[in-house]
Amino acid sequence: MIETQATPLEQQLYTFDELRWHLAKFRGKKLPPSTLRDWLTILKIRPNEVGCYEPEDLKWLVRYCFWLKRGGSAKGFQIIQQKEMQNASR
């Protein structure tokens, strides 16, 4: 079986508003643009060269949303995020 990798144009990318829409589904209510901008800053997530966000970015944002729903702090999540990113780079 031959496996092919998706080219960058075939990968799912998300605009800022699409991120808001997806996160509102998980959050159960609308996500104000200012809140998403804050979350992107806290998690150090930036758009790619075409101004869109990767599926990995959405994954981190969804996890952060659930973390906050359970009463977690931004600092606590950043520590977890850093550890996971360090482990992934090894």
Side-chain angles (χ1 to χ4, degrees):
M1 174 183 272
I2 298 174
E3 290 187 31
T4 59
Q5 291 186 355
T7 64
L9 292 177
E10 294 172 329
Q11 291 178 344
Q12 175 69 45
L13 299 175
Y14 302 96
T15 65
F16 183 86
D17 287 334
E18 288 171 331
L19 286 180
R20 285 183 57 222
W21 182 81
H22 283 287
L23 291 166
K25 289 190 322 184
F26 290 105
R27 192 171 184 236
K29 59 183 177 180
K30 288 184 179 181
L31 182 67
S34 59
T35 300
L36 179 53
R37 279 192 291 275
D38 289 345
W39 290 6
L40 292 170
T41 301
I42 289 166
L43 300 179
K44 299 178 182 165
I45 295 173
R46 292 179 182 80
N48 64 15
E49 61 278 353
V50 296
C52 292
Y53 297 89
E54 306 286 336
E56 184 74 9
D57 299 333
L58 179 59
K59 180 192 93 167
W60 280 110
L61 288 162
V62 168
R63 289 180 65 190
Y64 186 61
C65 182
F66 285 131
W67 176 265
L68 294 175
K69 270 183 136 176
R70 291 190 311 261
S73 69
K75 188 67 175 171
F77 190 84
Q78 287 174 313
I79 292 168
I80 291 170
Q81 182 188 30
Q82 288 172 350
K83 285 181 181 179
E84 286 192 24
M85 293 178 103
Q86 286 173 350
N87 290 339
S89 66
R90 289 184 186 176

